[in-house]
Amino acid sequence: MSLIHFDAMRLPARCQELRKEVRAFLESEIAAGTFDPDRPEVGDKNADEFSRRVGAKGWIGMTWPKKYGGQERSFLERYVVTEEMRIANAPVRRFFVADRQSGPTLIRYAHEKIKQDVLPRIIRGELFFCIGMSEPNSGSDLFAASTKATKTDGGWLINGTKVWTSSAHLADYMIGLFRTSGSTKENRRHGLTSFLVDMKTPGITCRPIGQMSGQRDFNEVVFQDAFIPDDHVIGEVDGAWKQATSELAYERSGPERFLETYDALLALTNAAGAKPDVRVTVGIGRLVAQLHTLRRMSVSVAGMLEAGREPVVEAAIVKDLGTVWEQGLPHRVRELASLLDLEDDEEDVFRNKLDFELKIAPKLTIQGGTTEVLRGIIARGLGLR
Amino acid sequence: MSASETLVVETAARVLADLADPQTIVQQRDDAWKAPLWLSLQEIGLDLAWASETGGGAGASLADGFGIIREAGRAALAVPLAETLLAGWLLDRAGLTAPGGPMTVAPVRPKDHLTLDKAGRVNGRARMVPFASDVEHLAVLATGDQGPLVALVRTADCKLKPGKSLARDARDTVELANVLPVHSARLEEAGTQEKDVLLLMGAAARAQQIAGALDRILELSVLYSQQRVAFEKPISKFQAIQHSLARLGGEVAAAASAAASAADTIANTGFDDAAALLEVAAAKIRCSEAAEVGTGIAHQVHGAIGFTDEHILHRFTLRLLSWRDEFGDETFWSLKLGELIAARGPRELWPLLASR
């Protein structure tokens, strides 16, 4: 029997209907000037209102239980919404993290009162979430986290520093991992606890960290005696390691794991015209073949998730192959574009686009689980560890 | 294919495991295994799974046939099972009866063309025809006055120039000069892509074989790494080896996905649109890429023993590499796919991908 399985999963017809609806919505938003697929700064400005309108459409938390305002729609429908938003460069940052992982984590492990309070607001597009994992001395090695949560009356006091926290300066909430006791000899993963942190809590300071791509969404988040109430503990105290393996499969296998630099391919196809140089044609064909295969793998994992399986290894494979591919894409596009004859203004537009993709490429194989971590997971799945 | 693997495919896997075990073949160093295997395949009807029952076949589904071919890949099979399936399918498409016994198909190279003249005779040259010198019949796709035709030809009526693949399987040049076919017929429902159906179908079949063989070399490599001790521990404990095998796993997954997706497309929607070209081209390209990377890693993990003729690894790796060339290589399909994408324009790229 095979060690690895990927079925030829197809999105059902109702998903393709939904796709039309999402496209029509996005076109009307573009027409109204909410965002511009070619100019992300326009969308950033309007991300809040956009988020509320997406919420009104019922496309945030669409798979979640009805009692929290969700619609219990399928994971495959969510997949379609995600990929159409991504391809259109829609300003999803406001709700994307909450929709993809914070919400599902809360649904599984948070106190009922918290769920009733927070989930409906996520669904309406009102809440912005960030993720507090990495620290100055803890990156891929999550269990080395040392930012402390100390028990006090009615809650916990947090002290320490999180880094590389995307959008912390804009976020309403963080789901963070904090040390509530030391690791044990038998289990070095013991002693960490997940908390829901209101970012307006006194004692939390965000400092921006500039990125080489010119983006400014990274932060250092410093906690000084920040008080978190007891009911904001997510899951078991000291037992965060037992939680959240299935969420990782969602996080790792989505379309955003191979479409981040898609604009480079689009720009090349655009610049190349209807009958390009044969070398360019061959180059485009090969890239499209690779992209199609990645998407088919990703859809296949979506199907496994929908079927209630936990495709941890398959999801790691999608992220490994997908991010390595999207990282290389702007470089392949650069090589092929050298064969094109572009007018000055075309060249400027193309360069501008390509330069951005070249600059973001290095981070793609680091964020959300490095290539090395992923290959370790795959190796474990193969029975090597 | 999945957990819901059908009985037909399971049967194929069992017959191949019993009668075409690579270890036995490597040890015996002769072709004695081939006759009993073929007899058994024929008895069960696996060889003509794709021919309809009225045409002398088993009338299995396209999906089952692709499943059988994937199993043939898992066995690195060196008899024309995939080719006979393809020939049976091609004959059946034109309403012709299969003669029984192993067959092959032509042309397998995109640049080769065969014609059928007014007198009903086949002319032309087809290179690299798999197993031509091992079989009695050849199903050919030829161009006639009024479009594409299928003809069943005796190999004895052709001039064969023997050739070998990387794995030393017969890949012969077949010259047809005024050959009178056993029978011939126009392809029914001839569409725009009919002249390419054999290439599309053959490429999808080769993709399945590659996916199957890659799956098997992953198993072999994992197992070997767990048994081979170096520096006082199994080499599977070294992170460098683990990461190499993880990459191999990724390539196996990509090949399996791409091949399954193309097979599913042909089985459920046919050949006649952009989707089929995208799916088949992507499968042949991506599987061929996986063959290069995958064979490299498997050999690296096995070290010197994998390079010997007594180890079974080469049965897989050499076939994996040579299957890349048949029914259109990566460059051929990239050009076809690139032309399609460029002609449709950038705005149509995503809608095409998303439609799959």
Side-chain angles (χ1 to χ4, degrees):
Chain A
M1 275 283 86
S2 309
L3 290 167
I4 291 166
H5 269 305
F6 278 81
D7 298 334
M9 172 75 202
R10 301 276 171 208
L11 296 171
R14 68 170 189 284
C15 287
Q16 303 295 24
E17 283 303 310
L18 173 62
R19 186 188 300 283
K20 283 185 208 154
E21 227 183 290
V22 178
R23 281 182 188 164
F25 168 77
L26 292 173
E27 273 162 30
S28 72
E29 290 290 320
I30 293 168
T34 312
F35 71 98
D36 178 343
D38 293 321
R39 292 167 58 224
E41 64 278 10
V42 175
D44 283 351
K45 218 171 51 211
N46 300 319
D48 289 6
E49 41 168 309
F50 178 76
S51 176
R52 285 185 171 81
R53 285 201 291 275
V54 175
K57 278 279 174 188
W59 294 336
I60 304 174
M62 61 196 288
T63 63
W64 303 352
K66 286 186 175 155
K67 66 171 170 172
Y68 303 122
Q71 304 188 46
E72 301 180 12
R73 293 178 84 168
S74 74
F75 186 70
L76 299 173
E77 288 168 284
R78 180 186 173 272
Y79 188 93
V80 165
V81 174
T82 309
E83 65 177 354
E84 289 300 324
M85 297 257 176
R86 179 66 205 82
I87 281 293
N89 286 328
V92 300
R93 177 164 298 155
R94 175 94 210 168
F95 58 85
F96 188 67
V97 168
D99 178 62
R100 181 177 70 182
Q101 62 203 97
S102 313
T105 299
L106 293 173
I107 289 169
R108 272 182 85 157
Y109 302 109
H111 285 269
E112 187 56 36
K113 194 181 126 225
I114 297 290
K115 290 199 257 194
Q116 285 176 9
D117 172 35
V118 173
L119 294 172
R121 290 193 283 150
I122 294 178
I123 286 168
R124 289 198 298 270
E126 293 167 9
L127 291 185
F128 197 145
F129 270 71
C130 65
I131 303 163
M133 296 278 203
S134 296
E135 295 183 9
N137 295 311
S138 161
S140 287
D141 184 8
L142 274 184
F143 301 105
S146 65
T147 297
K148 261 196 181 134
T150 315
K151 191 74 191 88
T152 182
D153 249 11
W156 303 75
L157 287 177
I158 300 187
N159 283 285
T161 305
K162 293 283 176 187
V163 281
W164 329 132
T165 316
S166 292
S167 307
H169 61 306
L170 302 171
D172 301 297
Y173 285 102
M174 167 191 283
I175 290 184
L177 197 61
F178 302 103
R179 183 152 295 287
T180 39
S181 58
S183 61
T184 60
K185 231 182 195 165
E186 303 74 46
N187 186 1
R188 68 178 291 270
R189 300 181 297 177
H190 174 87
L192 290 168
T193 305
S194 230
F195 286 88
L196 175 66
V197 178
D198 184 337
M199 292 300 281
K200 285 183 283 296
T201 307
I204 299 178
T205 322
C206 294
R207 295 196 195 109
I209 304 172
Q211 292 162 255
M212 63 182 255
S213 56
Q215 294 161 303
R216 304 203 54 84
D217 56 341
F218 269 10
N219 286 273
E220 177 189 64
V221 185
V222 179
F223 298 84
Q224 287 168 307
D225 282 338
F227 176 80
I228 310 298
D230 273 330
D231 62 3
H232 282 49
V233 169
I234 303 171
E236 197 179 314
V237 172
D238 291 341
W241 62 275
K242 294 181 203 163
Q243 294 160 209
T245 50
S246 58
E247 273 77 29
L248 286 176
Y250 289 84
E251 191 197 330
R252 287 180 176 145
S253 64
E256 70 276 15
R257 296 309 184 184
F258 52 90
L259 290 175
E260 285 303 293
T261 57
Y262 176 78
D263 280 358
L265 177 58
L266 194 63
L268 175 70
T269 319
N270 195 35
K275 274 191 180 283
D277 177 289
V278 69
R279 293 161 294 184
V280 177
T281 312
V282 168
I284 289 174
R286 196 176 267 257
L287 291 170
V288 169
Q290 294 162 342
L291 172 56
H292 167 73
T293 304
L294 287 166
R295 182 176 173 279
R296 297 292 299 128
M297 297 174 79
S298 169
V299 169
S300 185
V301 175
M304 297 180 213
L305 288 165
E306 180 61 23
R309 284 152 63 189
E310 292 204 356
V312 174
V313 174
E314 289 85 350
I317 286 175
V318 170
K319 184 170 188 288
D320 181 15
L321 290 182
T323 54
V324 167
W325 184 80
E326 66 183 5
Q327 184 168 72
L329 178 61
H331 298 276
R332 302 292 82 73
V333 165
R334 171 185 162 272
E335 290 161 355
L336 294 168
S338 172
L339 296 161
L340 300 175
D341 255 332
L342 297 180
E343 302 291 334
D344 281 1
D345 51 341
E346 283 178 316
E347 166 102 30
D348 288 347
V349 172
F350 178 79
R351 271 282 147 207
N352 219 353
K353 187 63 79 184
L354 185 64
D355 283 354
F356 176 74
E357 309 298 350
L358 287 167
K359 280 192 281 192
I360 65 163
K363 76 170 176 179
L364 300 172
T365 51
I366 301 168
Q367 61 189 12
T370 63
T371 303
E372 290 73 16
V373 167
L374 297 169
R375 290 184 183 163
I377 292 167
I378 300 164
R380 183 174 295 123
L382 292 174
L384 301 170
R385 297 176 60 197
Chain B
M1 308 304 113
S2 69
S4 62
E5 204 119 71
T6 68
L7 192 61
V8 179
V9 180
E10 277 173 25
T11 307
R14 205 171 49 243
V15 171
L16 293 171
D18 288 349
L19 299 173
D21 168 45
Q23 194 63 56
T24 316
I25 292 170
V26 161
Q27 274 161 4
Q28 290 180 347
R29 291 169 184 265
D30 61 22
D31 289 342
W33 59 278
K34 289 184 179 174
L37 169 71
W38 196 266
L39 213 63
S40 183
L41 292 172
Q42 212 162 20
E43 251 172 43
I44 308 165
L46 293 173
D47 59 334
L48 289 176
W50 268 340
S52 64
E53 289 174 33
T54 51
S61 67
L62 284 169
D64 274 349
F66 281 120
I68 296 170
I69 291 174
R70 187 161 194 267
E71 290 304 324
R74 277 182 61 82
L77 196 63
V79 297
L81 179 58
E83 290 75 9
T84 304
L85 271 153
L86 285 169
W89 167 83
L90 187 63
L91 292 169
D92 199 68
R93 235 176 130 78
L96 300 174
T97 306
M103 294 183 280
T104 189
V105 290
V108 298
R109 305 250 300 190
K111 283 179 182 159
D112 292 347
H113 289 291
L114 303 174
T115 57
L116 194 110
D117 64 20
K118 283 200 178 77
R121 290 174 185 267
V122 186
N123 283 285
R125 191 169 68 115
R127 291 162 297 167
M128 218 192 262
V129 177
F131 304 107
S133 50
D134 298 339
V135 301
E136 282 177 28
H137 290 95
L138 194 63
V140 306
L141 183 62
T143 312
D145 273 356
Q146 289 165 350
L149 301 108
V150 176
L152 180 70
V153 170
R154 278 186 212 89
T155 42
D157 296 338
C158 309
K159 200 173 139 200
L160 262 54
K161 196 175 128 208
K164 296 281 183 201
S165 74
L166 286 176
R168 305 203 59 73
D169 296 332
R171 294 291 185 269
D172 311 304
T173 298
V174 179
E175 286 187 33
L176 298 102
N178 287 318
V179 173
L180 188 66
V182 179
H183 47 210
S184 65
R186 285 187 57 188
L187 270 182
E188 284 171 26
E189 310 157 57
T192 48
Q193 288 197 341
E194 284 301 332
K195 67 177 172 46
D196 292 333
V197 289
L198 181 58
L199 274 186
L200 287 162
M201 194 69 171
R206 286 293 186 259
Q208 285 289 334
Q209 285 169 287
I210 291 175
L214 279 172
D215 199 40
R216 193 70 197 284
I217 66 170
L218 173 63
E219 282 173 24
L220 293 176
S221 303
V222 165
L223 198 65
Y224 181 79
S225 76
Q226 290 165 331
Q227 290 166 347
R228 172 69 179 173
V229 173
F231 307 102
E232 295 164 350
K233 56 183 177 183
I235 61 170
S236 64
K237 295 294 162 203
F238 291 95
Q239 195 175 46
I241 300 287
Q242 291 176 353
H243 284 200
S244 284
L245 289 172
R247 278 182 62 221
L248 174 54
E251 294 301 306
V252 170
S257 294
S261 190
D264 172 77
T265 300
I266 290 175
N268 293 309
T269 55
F271 298 99
D272 226 10
D273 61 3
L277 174 54
L278 167 69
E279 291 271 7
V280 174
K284 191 71 192 331
I285 293 165
R286 191 62 188 85
C287 285
S288 299
E289 290 175 350
E292 180 194 332
V293 178
T295 55
I297 294 172
H299 275 292
Q300 188 69 21
V301 168
H302 277 82
I305 191 71
F307 195 68
T308 61
D309 59 6
E310 70 212 58
H311 196 279
I312 64 172
L313 185 62
H314 66 82
R315 288 192 66 79
F316 295 88
T317 56
L318 290 174
R319 283 185 183 89
L320 276 165
L321 296 177
S322 73
W323 287 331
R324 297 180 301 172
D325 294 336
E326 295 159 11
F327 301 101
D329 59 19
E330 302 95 294
T331 306
F332 169 79
W333 287 113
S334 295
L335 184 60
K336 289 273 255 190
L337 182 54
E339 284 169 351
L340 176 83
I341 300 302
R344 290 166 60 99
R347 291 175 60 86
E348 290 304 310
L349 173 56
W350 175 251
L352 175 64
L353 294 168
S355 73
R356 303 310 304 150

